[in-house]
Amino acid sequence: MRAPFRRLPREHPTGPLDGHKLAFPMLSADGTMAGFSGVTLGRAHVYRTVDDAVCAHGCRHACPSRWCDCGFYCFHSDSDARELACAPEHQGSVLLEVAVSGRFRRYELGLRYSRQRVRSVRMRPCRCGVPVSALADTGAGQRGWRRLEPVCARCAGARPVLTPDRFARLAGIELLPDDVPAGPLTPIGARAAGADPDRLLDDSAFGGRDEIEGDAVATAGAVAVLTAEMALLQARLDEMARQLGRATARLDELEGRD
């Protein structure tokens, strides 16, 4: 009896694989290091330009594990990453091109893997549609890291900001223009504002933040995490069903059943 499912042959790539992903730009508390955090399950972990994946649940198994959602994620094409960026909870993210190495698992749209090197970053347009001129503090983040978002001079307002060029230098990566057309939508144009895009972040520049906006961002992030966890649970259930089917077929074969 022929098995209904077969394991795919193991791949042995001769070099790093290319990938594309979304991430939130992060700046260390002292302003000397740049990093990134994931837009879904990886929100709680900040990674550097060259980094290894760790299990977000604190397990010590090698990443990526078959029975865990740990590891870095990326798409095969930048178009899929741009489609994901349309979700409201992913506004403020940047587009990364990465080189994938180490252990990996291949999926239809991308990879889950253990090690990556960020090659380049593209700043997506500001929320208002105008080209980005700075990275502004969002008032969010985690211990030791501040979360930034790409904004135009008008939307930056009085918030402390960092130039995209300086962020790329801190991260040690290439800054590429985001020249992909966004369809028929065309912004009216950039409007002048009094913000200085060369002003660096410092503790004295921080003030209060809009609590309503912060709650909305937190709620959107929680929904994204729950959605990803539900997808992972469904994938595990599907895998268990396939294993049960193979075991049942094998048992029938051994017992001589039709």
Side-chain angles (χ1 to χ4, degrees):
M1 178 178 179
R2 186 176 180 180
F5 298 96
R6 292 179 296 175
R7 184 183 299 274
L8 295 176
R10 183 181 296 273
E11 295 185 55
H12 298 281
T14 57
L17 303 174
D18 296 329
H20 304 269
K21 64 189 303 180
L22 296 180
F24 292 119
M26 308 290 288
L27 184 70
S28 62
D30 59 5
T32 61
M33 297 183 295
F36 306 92
S37 70
V39 295
T40 53
L41 296 177
R43 286 174 179 260
H45 176 62
V46 177
Y47 57 86
R48 304 294 304 278
T49 301
V50 179
D51 216 333
D52 294 303
V54 297
C55 181
H57 307 292
C59 301
R60 297 183 179 180
H61 54 240
C63 298
S65 171
R66 182 178 183 180
W67 301 108
C68 184
D69 55 6
C70 59
F72 292 124
Y73 290 77
C74 75
F75 291 102
H76 294 311
S77 67
D78 62 345
S79 60
D80 290 323
R82 292 180 185 277
E83 290 182 5
L84 181 64
C86 294
E89 62 269 22
H90 299 153
Q91 293 296 312
S93 62
V94 296
L95 182 62
L96 303 180
E97 180 185 358
V98 298
V100 175
S101 58
R103 294 161 47 90
F104 69 91
R105 289 187 171 276
R106 185 179 293 277
Y107 299 91
E108 180 180 0
L109 296 180
L111 302 168
R112 183 162 64 100
Y113 52 96
S114 62
R115 184 174 178 81
Q116 73 178 9
R117 177 183 182 87
V118 181
R119 289 175 171 171
S120 64
V121 58
R122 295 179 186 269
M123 302 292 171
R124 299 172 50 248
C126 179
R127 294 173 185 265
C128 67
V130 175
V132 167
S133 61
L135 290 167
D137 172 56
T138 62
Q142 50 189 280
R143 183 178 179 86
W145 294 90
R146 301 165 179 168
R147 178 174 155 185
L148 311 179
E149 67 172 342
V151 294
C152 64
R154 177 179 178 273
C155 292
R159 292 184 291 172
V161 296
L162 190 71
T163 61
D165 287 336
R166 181 165 177 78
F167 178 85
R169 289 196 301 270
L170 290 175
I173 58 178
E174 183 180 7
L175 175 64
L176 299 178
D178 191 35
D179 51 4
V180 178
L185 297 177
T186 303
I188 296 177
R191 283 164 284 187
D196 180 7
D198 291 320
R199 186 175 69 255
L200 297 181
L201 292 167
D202 61 78
D203 293 335
S204 62
F206 287 86
R209 295 293 183 269
D210 190 333
E211 294 183 359
I212 296 179
E213 180 180 355
D215 291 342
V217 172
T219 301
V223 171
V225 171
L226 290 175
T227 302
E229 290 181 346
M230 290 176 62
L232 175 64
L233 180 58
Q234 184 62 52
R236 291 175 175 172
L237 290 175
D238 292 342
E239 179 64 22
M240 292 177 64
R242 286 192 291 268
Q243 290 188 2
L244 180 59
R246 289 196 294 267
T248 302
R250 179 58 177 167
L251 181 60
D252 291 343
E253 180 181 2
L254 293 175
E255 293 181 354
R257 300 177 185 175
D258 294 333

PDB file of all heavy atoms in Angstrom, residues 62-93:
ATOM      1  N   ALA A  62      16.366  23.591  19.572  1.00  0.00           N
ATOM      2  CA  ALA A  62      16.932  24.270  18.417  1.00  0.00           C
ATOM      3  C   ALA A  62      15.815  24.879  17.578  1.00  0.00           C
ATOM      4  O   ALA A  62      14.760  24.273  17.383  1.00  0.00           O
ATOM      5  CB  ALA A  62      17.751  23.290  17.579  1.00  0.00           C
ATOM      6  N   CYS A  63      16.047  26.086  17.098  1.00  0.00           N
ATOM      7  CA  CYS A  63      15.068  26.770  16.245  1.00  0.00           C
ATOM      8  C   CYS A  63      15.411  26.534  14.768  1.00  0.00           C
ATOM      9  O   CYS A  63      16.597  26.498  14.417  1.00  0.00           O
ATOM     10  CB  CYS A  63      15.060  28.262  16.530  1.00  0.00           C
ATOM     11  SG  CYS A  63      14.575  28.708  18.214  1.00  0.00           S
ATOM     12  N   PRO A  64      14.414  26.358  13.917  1.00  0.00           N
ATOM     13  CA  PRO A  64      12.982  26.305  14.233  1.00  0.00           C
ATOM     14  C   PRO A  64      12.533  24.883  14.535  1.00  0.00           C
ATOM     15  O   PRO A  64      12.867  23.956  13.808  1.00  0.00           O
ATOM     16  CB  PRO A  64      12.348  26.809  12.942  1.00  0.00           C
ATOM     17  CG  PRO A  64      13.287  26.346  11.877  1.00  0.00           C
ATOM     18  CD  PRO A  64      14.669  26.392  12.474  1.00  0.00           C
ATOM     19  N   SER A  65      11.778  24.709  15.601  1.00  0.00           N
ATOM     20  CA  SER A  65      11.281  23.397  15.975  1.00  0.00           C
ATOM     21  C   SER A  65      10.013  23.075  15.187  1.00  0.00           C
ATOM     22  O   SER A  65       9.216  23.959  14.876  1.00  0.00           O
ATOM     23  CB  SER A  65      10.984  23.353  17.472  1.00  0.00           C
ATOM     24  OG  SER A  65      10.311  22.169  17.819  1.00  0.00           O
ATOM     25  N   ARG A  66       9.831  21.799  14.896  1.00  0.00           N
ATOM     26  CA  ARG A  66       8.652  21.369  14.146  1.00  0.00           C
ATOM     27  C   ARG A  66       7.377  21.589  14.935  1.00  0.00           C
ATOM     28  O   ARG A  66       6.324  21.878  14.367  1.00  0.00           O
ATOM     29  CB  ARG A  66       8.808  19.894  13.771  1.00  0.00           C
ATOM     30  CG  ARG A  66       7.657  19.340  12.933  1.00  0.00           C
ATOM     31  CD  ARG A  66       7.914  17.895  12.560  1.00  0.00           C
ATOM     32  NE  ARG A  66       6.865  17.374  11.698  1.00  0.00           N
ATOM     33  CZ  ARG A  66       6.844  16.134  11.234  1.00  0.00           C
ATOM     34  NH1 ARG A  66       7.819  15.296  11.531  1.00  0.00           N
ATOM     35  NH2 ARG A  66       5.854  15.739  10.456  1.00  0.00           N
ATOM     36  N   TRP A  67       7.459  21.469  16.270  1.00  0.00           N
ATOM     37  CA  TRP A  67       6.265  21.557  17.112  1.00  0.00           C
ATOM     38  C   TRP A  67       6.183  22.877  17.854  1.00  0.00           C
ATOM     39  O   TRP A  67       5.502  22.990  18.868  1.00  0.00           O
ATOM     40  CB  TRP A  67       6.249  20.397  18.097  1.00  0.00           C
ATOM     41  CG  TRP A  67       6.251  19.073  17.397  1.00  0.00           C
ATOM     42  CD1 TRP A  67       7.274  18.179  17.317  1.00  0.00           C
ATOM     43  CD2 TRP A  67       5.179  18.516  16.637  1.00  0.00           C
ATOM     44  NE1 TRP A  67       6.914  17.094  16.573  1.00  0.00           N
ATOM     45  CE2 TRP A  67       5.626  17.271  16.141  1.00  0.00           C
ATOM     46  CE3 TRP A  67       3.887  18.932  16.324  1.00  0.00           C
ATOM     47  CZ2 TRP A  67       4.823  16.452  15.350  1.00  0.00           C
ATOM     48  CZ3 TRP A  67       3.092  18.109  15.535  1.00  0.00           C
ATOM     49  CH2 TRP A  67       3.560  16.893  15.071  1.00  0.00           C
ATOM     50  N   CYS A  68       6.890  23.887  17.371  1.00  0.00           N
ATOM     51  CA  CYS A  68       6.861  25.202  18.018  1.00  0.00           C
ATOM     52  C   CYS A  68       6.811  26.260  16.926  1.00  0.00           C
ATOM     53  O   CYS A  68       7.139  26.005  15.765  1.00  0.00           O
ATOM     54  CB  CYS A  68       8.096  25.372  18.903  1.00  0.00           C
ATOM     55  SG  CYS A  68       8.116  26.924  19.861  1.00  0.00           S
ATOM     56  N   ASP A  69       6.398  27.457  17.288  1.00  0.00           N
ATOM     57  CA  ASP A  69       6.332  28.547  16.325  1.00  0.00           C
ATOM     58  C   ASP A  69       7.585  29.413  16.347  1.00  0.00           C
ATOM     59  O   ASP A  69       7.582  30.530  15.826  1.00  0.00           O
ATOM     60  CB  ASP A  69       5.100  29.417  16.587  1.00  0.00           C
ATOM     61  CG  ASP A  69       5.053  29.926  18.027  1.00  0.00           C
ATOM     62  OD1 ASP A  69       6.017  29.694  18.777  1.00  0.00           O
ATOM     63  OD2 ASP A  69       4.040  30.546  18.402  1.00  0.00           O
ATOM     64  N   CYS A  70       8.672  28.922  16.961  1.00  0.00           N
ATOM     65  CA  CYS A  70       9.888  29.712  17.109  1.00  0.00           C
ATOM     66  C   CYS A  70      10.614  29.860  15.782  1.00  0.00           C
ATOM     67  O   CYS A  70      10.357  29.132  14.823  1.00  0.00           O
ATOM     68  CB  CYS A  70      10.809  29.071  18.144  1.00  0.00           C
ATOM     69  SG  CYS A  70      11.316  27.388  17.745  1.00  0.00           S
ATOM     70  N   GLY A  71      11.550  30.798  15.744  1.00  0.00           N
ATOM     71  CA  GLY A  71      12.343  31.039  14.549  1.00  0.00           C
ATOM     72  C   GLY A  71      11.992  32.356  13.883  1.00  0.00           C
ATOM     73  O   GLY A  71      10.973  32.990  14.186  1.00  0.00           O
ATOM     74  N   PHE A  72      12.868  32.786  12.982  1.00  0.00           N
ATOM     75  CA  PHE A  72      12.591  33.950  12.153  1.00  0.00           C
ATOM     76  C   PHE A  72      11.649  33.546  11.022  1.00  0.00           C
ATOM     77  O   PHE A  72      11.617  32.384  10.606  1.00  0.00           O
ATOM     78  CB  PHE A  72      13.884  34.511  11.543  1.00  0.00           C
ATOM     79  CG  PHE A  72      14.816  35.126  12.554  1.00  0.00           C
ATOM     80  CD1 PHE A  72      16.119  34.668  12.663  1.00  0.00           C
ATOM     81  CD2 PHE A  72      14.405  36.159  13.359  1.00  0.00           C
ATOM     82  CE1 PHE A  72      16.991  35.232  13.579  1.00  0.00           C
ATOM     83  CE2 PHE A  72      15.267  36.734  14.282  1.00  0.00           C
ATOM     84  CZ  PHE A  72      16.563  36.262  14.392  1.00  0.00           C
ATOM     85  N   TYR A  73      10.902  34.511  10.507  1.00  0.00           N
ATOM     86  CA  TYR A  73      10.007  34.278   9.390  1.00  0.00           C
ATOM     87  C   TYR A  73      10.321  35.268   8.266  1.00  0.00           C
ATOM     88  O   TYR A  73      10.689  36.415   8.530  1.00  0.00           O
ATOM     89  CB  TYR A  73       8.539  34.477   9.798  1.00  0.00           C
ATOM     90  CG  TYR A  73       7.986  33.424  10.726  1.00  0.00           C
ATOM     91  CD1 TYR A  73       8.302  33.424  12.088  1.00  0.00           C
ATOM     92  CD2 TYR A  73       7.128  32.437  10.252  1.00  0.00           C
ATOM     93  CE1 TYR A  73       7.787  32.458  12.937  1.00  0.00           C
ATOM     94  CE2 TYR A  73       6.596  31.479  11.097  1.00  0.00           C
ATOM     95  CZ  TYR A  73       6.927  31.500  12.435  1.00  0.00           C
ATOM     96  OH  TYR A  73       6.417  30.536  13.278  1.00  0.00           O
ATOM     97  N   CYS A  74      10.149  34.838   7.023  1.00  0.00           N
ATOM     98  CA  CYS A  74      10.287  35.750   5.889  1.00  0.00           C
ATOM     99  C   CYS A  74       9.465  35.231   4.717  1.00  0.00           C
ATOM    100  O   CYS A  74       9.088  34.052   4.671  1.00  0.00           O
ATOM    101  CB  CYS A  74      11.755  35.929   5.485  1.00  0.00           C
ATOM    102  SG  CYS A  74      12.460  34.524   4.605  1.00  0.00           S
ATOM    103  N   PHE A  75       9.184  36.118   3.771  1.00  0.00           N
ATOM    104  CA  PHE A  75       8.499  35.769   2.538  1.00  0.00           C
ATOM    105  C   PHE A  75       9.527  35.540   1.434  1.00  0.00           C
ATOM    106  O   PHE A  75      10.642  36.067   1.475  1.00  0.00           O
ATOM    107  CB  PHE A  75       7.554  36.897   2.102  1.00  0.00           C
ATOM    108  CG  PHE A  75       6.359  37.072   2.996  1.00  0.00           C
ATOM    109  CD1 PHE A  75       6.322  38.096   3.931  1.00  0.00           C
ATOM    110  CD2 PHE A  75       5.269  36.227   2.903  1.00  0.00           C
ATOM    111  CE1 PHE A  75       5.227  38.273   4.754  1.00  0.00           C
ATOM    112  CE2 PHE A  75       4.161  36.385   3.715  1.00  0.00           C
ATOM    113  CZ  PHE A  75       4.141  37.412   4.648  1.00  0.00           C
ATOM    114  N   HIS A  76       9.110  34.782   0.406  1.00  0.00           N
ATOM    115  CA  HIS A  76       9.970  34.602  -0.760  1.00  0.00           C
ATOM    116  C   HIS A  76      10.030  35.885  -1.599  1.00  0.00           C
ATOM    117  O   HIS A  76      11.064  36.188  -2.192  1.00  0.00           O
ATOM    118  CB  HIS A  76       9.454  33.455  -1.634  1.00  0.00           C
ATOM    119  CG  HIS A  76       9.531  32.115  -0.970  1.00  0.00           C
ATOM    120  ND1 HIS A  76      10.673  31.655  -0.346  1.00  0.00           N
ATOM    121  CD2 HIS A  76       8.603  31.127  -0.836  1.00  0.00           C
ATOM    122  CE1 HIS A  76      10.450  30.446   0.134  1.00  0.00           C
ATOM    123  NE2 HIS A  76       9.209  30.105  -0.137  1.00  0.00           N
ATOM    124  N   SER A  77       8.940  36.632  -1.655  1.00  0.00           N
ATOM    125  CA  SER A  77       8.880  37.838  -2.486  1.00  0.00           C
ATOM    126  C   SER A  77       8.496  39.049  -1.655  1.00  0.00           C
ATOM    127  O   SER A  77       7.782  38.929  -0.651  1.00  0.00           O
ATOM    128  CB  SER A  77       7.871  37.653  -3.630  1.00  0.00           C
ATOM    129  OG  SER A  77       6.554  37.565  -3.123  1.00  0.00           O
ATOM    130  N   ASP A  78       8.961  40.221  -2.091  1.00  0.00           N
ATOM    131  CA  ASP A  78       8.631  41.445  -1.370  1.00  0.00           C
ATOM    132  C   ASP A  78       7.170  41.840  -1.564  1.00  0.00           C
ATOM    133  O   ASP A  78       6.602  42.561  -0.741  1.00  0.00           O
ATOM    134  CB  ASP A  78       9.553  42.584  -1.791  1.00  0.00           C
ATOM    135  CG  ASP A  78       9.408  42.922  -3.274  1.00  0.00           C
ATOM    136  OD1 ASP A  78       8.828  42.110  -4.013  1.00  0.00           O
ATOM    137  OD2 ASP A  78       9.868  44.003  -3.678  1.00  0.00           O
ATOM    138  N   SER A  79       6.527  41.374  -2.640  1.00  0.00           N
ATOM    139  CA  SER A  79       5.116  41.703  -2.858  1.00  0.00           C
ATOM    140  C   SER A  79       4.228  41.119  -1.768  1.00  0.00           C
ATOM    141  O   SER A  79       3.262  41.756  -1.333  1.00  0.00           O
ATOM    142  CB  SER A  79       4.662  41.207  -4.240  1.00  0.00           C
ATOM    143  OG  SER A  79       4.821  39.803  -4.353  1.00  0.00           O
ATOM    144  N   ASP A  80       4.547  39.901  -1.294  1.00  0.00           N
ATOM    145  CA  ASP A  80       3.776  39.309  -0.204  1.00  0.00           C
ATOM    146  C   ASP A  80       3.968  40.096   1.089  1.00  0.00           C
ATOM    147  O   ASP A  80       3.020  40.258   1.875  1.00  0.00           O
ATOM    148  CB  ASP A  80       4.187  37.850   0.004  1.00  0.00           C
ATOM    149  CG  ASP A  80       3.728  36.948  -1.130  1.00  0.00           C
ATOM    150  OD1 ASP A  80       2.621  37.183  -1.646  1.00  0.00           O
ATOM    151  OD2 ASP A  80       4.473  36.029  -1.498  1.00  0.00           O
ATOM    152  N   ALA A  81       5.185  40.563   1.322  1.00  0.00           N
ATOM    153  CA  ALA A  81       5.436  41.369   2.508  1.00  0.00           C
ATOM    154  C   ALA A  81       4.673  42.690   2.435  1.00  0.00           C
ATOM    155  O   ALA A  81       4.137  43.170   3.442  1.00  0.00           O
ATOM    156  CB  ALA A  81       6.933  41.627   2.657  1.00  0.00           C
ATOM    157  N   ARG A  82       4.596  43.281   1.264  1.00  0.00           N
ATOM    158  CA  ARG A  82       3.863  44.541   1.103  1.00  0.00           C
ATOM    159  C   ARG A  82       2.372  44.335   1.312  1.00  0.00           C
ATOM    160  O   ARG A  82       1.674  45.217   1.826  1.00  0.00           O
ATOM    161  CB  ARG A  82       4.133  45.134  -0.284  1.00  0.00           C
ATOM    162  CG  ARG A  82       5.575  45.611  -0.474  1.00  0.00           C
ATOM    163  CD  ARG A  82       5.800  46.186  -1.865  1.00  0.00           C
ATOM    164  NE  ARG A  82       7.187  46.515  -2.073  1.00  0.00           N
ATOM    165  CZ  ARG A  82       7.757  47.637  -1.673  1.00  0.00           C
ATOM    166  NH1 ARG A  82       7.033  48.548  -1.030  1.00  0.00           N
ATOM    167  NH2 ARG A  82       9.035  47.876  -1.899  1.00  0.00           N
ATOM    168  N   GLU A  83       1.850  43.189   0.899  1.00  0.00           N
ATOM    169  CA  GLU A  83       0.441  42.905   1.143  1.00  0.00           C
ATOM    170  C   GLU A  83       0.158  42.804   2.637  1.00  0.00           C
ATOM    171  O   GLU A  83      -0.866  43.288   3.129  1.00  0.00           O
ATOM    172  CB  GLU A  83       0.044  41.612   0.433  1.00  0.00           C
ATOM    173  CG  GLU A  83       0.002  41.720  -1.080  1.00  0.00           C
ATOM    174  CD  GLU A  83      -0.433  40.430  -1.730  1.00  0.00           C
ATOM    175  OE1 GLU A  83      -0.792  39.484  -0.991  1.00  0.00           O
ATOM    176  OE2 GLU A  83      -0.422  40.356  -2.978  1.00  0.00           O
ATOM    177  N   LEU A  84       1.072  42.159   3.380  1.00  0.00           N
ATOM    178  CA  LEU A  84       0.910  42.069   4.830  1.00  0.00           C
ATOM    179  C   LEU A  84       0.948  43.446   5.473  1.00  0.00           C
ATOM    180  O   LEU A  84       0.282  43.690   6.482  1.00  0.00           O
ATOM    181  CB  LEU A  84       2.013  41.181   5.413  1.00  0.00           C
ATOM    182  CG  LEU A  84       1.982  40.945   6.918  1.00  0.00           C
ATOM    183  CD1 LEU A  84       0.731  40.176   7.325  1.00  0.00           C
ATOM    184  CD2 LEU A  84       3.232  40.198   7.377  1.00  0.00           C
ATOM    185  N   ALA A  85       1.716  44.363   4.889  1.00  0.00           N
ATOM    186  CA  ALA A  85       1.859  45.704   5.459  1.00  0.00           C
ATOM    187  C   ALA A  85       0.569  46.510   5.379  1.00  0.00           C
ATOM    188  O   ALA A  85       0.461  47.551   6.034  1.00  0.00           O
ATOM    189  CB  ALA A  85       2.986  46.451   4.740  1.00  0.00           C
ATOM    190  N   CYS A  86      -0.414  46.059   4.598  1.00  0.00           N
ATOM    191  CA  CYS A  86      -1.676  46.790   4.491  1.00  0.00           C
ATOM    192  C   CYS A  86      -2.511  46.679   5.770  1.00  0.00           C
ATOM    193  O   CYS A  86      -3.420  47.490   5.974  1.00  0.00           O
ATOM    194  CB  CYS A  86      -2.483  46.284   3.304  1.00  0.00           C
ATOM    195  SG  CYS A  86      -1.725  46.614   1.686  1.00  0.00           S
ATOM    196  N   ALA A  87      -2.242  45.670   6.591  1.00  0.00           N
ATOM    197  CA  ALA A  87      -3.009  45.505   7.836  1.00  0.00           C
ATOM    198  C   ALA A  87      -2.748  46.684   8.769  1.00  0.00           C
ATOM    199  O   ALA A  87      -1.609  47.135   8.896  1.00  0.00           O
ATOM    200  CB  ALA A  87      -2.623  44.193   8.516  1.00  0.00           C
ATOM    201  N   PRO A  88      -3.770  47.209   9.433  1.00  0.00           N
ATOM    202  CA  PRO A  88      -3.591  48.391  10.298  1.00  0.00           C
ATOM    203  C   PRO A  88      -2.553  48.189  11.392  1.00  0.00           C
ATOM    204  O   PRO A  88      -1.809  49.121  11.723  1.00  0.00           O
ATOM    205  CB  PRO A  88      -4.995  48.600  10.897  1.00  0.00           C
ATOM    206  CG  PRO A  88      -5.923  47.949   9.941  1.00  0.00           C
ATOM    207  CD  PRO A  88      -5.182  46.778   9.375  1.00  0.00           C
ATOM    208  N   GLU A  89      -2.475  46.961  11.954  1.00  0.00           N
ATOM    209  CA  GLU A  89      -1.539  46.735  13.044  1.00  0.00           C
ATOM    210  C   GLU A  89      -0.088  46.725  12.581  1.00  0.00           C
ATOM    211  O   GLU A  89       0.837  46.740  13.405  1.00  0.00           O
ATOM    212  CB  GLU A  89      -1.854  45.428  13.763  1.00  0.00           C
ATOM    213  CG  GLU A  89      -1.749  44.181  12.893  1.00  0.00           C
ATOM    214  CD  GLU A  89      -3.055  43.820  12.225  1.00  0.00           C
ATOM    215  OE1 GLU A  89      -3.909  44.719  12.095  1.00  0.00           O
ATOM    216  OE2 GLU A  89      -3.219  42.653  11.841  1.00  0.00           O
ATOM    217  N   HIS A  90       0.141  46.696  11.250  1.00  0.00           N
ATOM    218  CA  HIS A  90       1.503  46.680  10.724  1.00  0.00           C
ATOM    219  C   HIS A  90       1.936  48.041  10.185  1.00  0.00           C
ATOM    220  O   HIS A  90       3.015  48.164   9.612  1.00  0.00           O
ATOM    221  CB  HIS A  90       1.632  45.635   9.624  1.00  0.00           C
ATOM    222  CG  HIS A  90       1.346  44.248  10.108  1.00  0.00           C
ATOM    223  ND1 HIS A  90       0.870  43.247   9.283  1.00  0.00           N
ATOM    224  CD2 HIS A  90       1.453  43.696  11.344  1.00  0.00           C
ATOM    225  CE1 HIS A  90       0.698  42.140   9.987  1.00  0.00           C
ATOM    226  NE2 HIS A  90       1.049  42.399  11.239  1.00  0.00           N
ATOM    227  N   GLN A  91       1.082  49.052  10.349  1.00  0.00           N
ATOM    228  CA  GLN A  91       1.479  50.393   9.962  1.00  0.00           C
ATOM    229  C   GLN A  91       2.669  50.845  10.813  1.00  0.00           C
ATOM    230  O   GLN A  91       2.729  50.581  12.000  1.00  0.00           O
ATOM    231  CB  GLN A  91       0.310  51.367  10.162  1.00  0.00           C
ATOM    232  CG  GLN A  91      -0.860  51.117   9.228  1.00  0.00           C
ATOM    233  CD  GLN A  91      -0.488  51.336   7.770  1.00  0.00           C
ATOM    234  OE1 GLN A  91       0.115  52.350   7.420  1.00  0.00           O
ATOM    235  NE2 GLN A  91      -0.852  50.389   6.926  1.00  0.00           N
ATOM    236  N   GLY A  92       3.603  51.509  10.181  1.00  0.00           N
ATOM    237  CA  GLY A  92       4.802  51.928  10.906  1.00  0.00           C
ATOM    238  C   GLY A  92       5.949  50.953  10.786  1.00  0.00           C
ATOM    239  O   GLY A  92       7.021  51.181  11.348  1.00  0.00           O
ATOM    240  N   SER A  93       5.755  49.849  10.056  1.00  0.00           N
ATOM    241  CA  SER A  93       6.827  48.881   9.868  1.00  0.00           C
ATOM    242  C   SER A  93       7.685  49.260   8.670  1.00  0.00           C
ATOM    243  O   SER A  93       7.302  50.093   7.835  1.00  0.00           O
ATOM    244  CB  SER A  93       6.249  47.471   9.667  1.00  0.00           C
ATOM    245  OG  SER A  93       5.444  47.429   8.502  1.00  0.00           O
TER     246      SER A  93
END
